[in-house]
Amino acid sequence: MQLSPLQRFNESLIKLSVLLYQIDGKITLSEQDYLEDVIADLTWQSPISIDAFTNDAIHQARVAVDNDEALAFVKEMVDDLTFDAEKVVEVAMGITGIDGERSEQETDILTVLTHKYLARELTVQHSVA
């Protein structure tokens, strides 16, 4: 089954969010609540339940963090994340800031996302608005 661009975006947004709340080694209740709110707003279009997908995303992100492959994990999703770059930045900033501080690892991923991977889409979206 071919996934729609929106569904691929939703899946990548969940995976990125899970990675961002795991990357600093501290998972807070506020981060988990934020992720649940993000997930609740998604239009899910998959035969795989959103809960099952999220559980798998948690495992994938944990493996990426444990193997020091977080940036490679993010890079694999870039094409799908460009579907709505502004939403990606909003969610990434929200989930990394909800606990009151951003770790160096969180800041590194945010910087790469906004200045490298999504920079063109963010610039185009702002120039159109």
Side-chain angles (χ1 to χ4, degrees):
M1 180 178 119
Q2 181 77 339
L3 297 177
S4 71
L6 175 61
Q7 182 62 24
R8 289 194 317 267
F9 169 78
N10 289 340
E11 291 179 4
S12 292
L13 187 63
I14 290 171
K15 288 166 51 174
L16 175 66
S17 298
V18 169
L19 176 76
L20 286 170
Y21 85 55
Q22 289 187 9
I23 194 80
D24 63 359
K26 299 178 298 195
I27 300 171
T28 66
L29 189 54
S30 58
E31 289 169 325
Q32 290 177 317
D33 289 345
Y34 188 90
L35 176 62
E36 287 177 15
D37 290 344
V38 168
I39 289 171
D41 286 340
L42 297 178
T43 303
W44 195 251
Q45 306 166 333
S46 173
I48 299 167
S49 78
I50 200 164
D51 291 334
F53 181 85
T54 302
N55 287 336
D56 185 58
I58 290 168
H59 172 72
Q60 290 179 40
R62 181 83 265 141
V63 169
V65 170
D66 289 348
N67 293 320
D68 200 25
E69 296 173 347
L71 285 175
F73 186 73
V74 173
K75 188 174 184 176
E76 291 173 8
M77 300 181 283
V78 169
D79 289 343
D80 296 329
L81 292 172
T82 61
F83 180 82
D84 189 347
E86 286 190 9
K87 175 78 171 178
V88 171
V89 173
E90 174 190 326
V91 169
M93 295 293 288
I95 205 154
T96 59
I98 195 80
D99 62 358
E101 62 180 303
R102 286 194 177 92
S103 71
E104 184 177 334
Q105 301 96 322
E106 289 171 328
T107 303
D108 289 347
I109 290 175
L110 287 172
T111 300
V112 171
L113 264 176
T114 57
H115 292 85
K116 184 176 181 184
Y117 295 153
L118 302 177
R120 187 183 62 201
E121 286 75 16
L122 292 168
T123 304
V124 168
Q125 288 176 357
H126 282 294
S127 65
V128 171

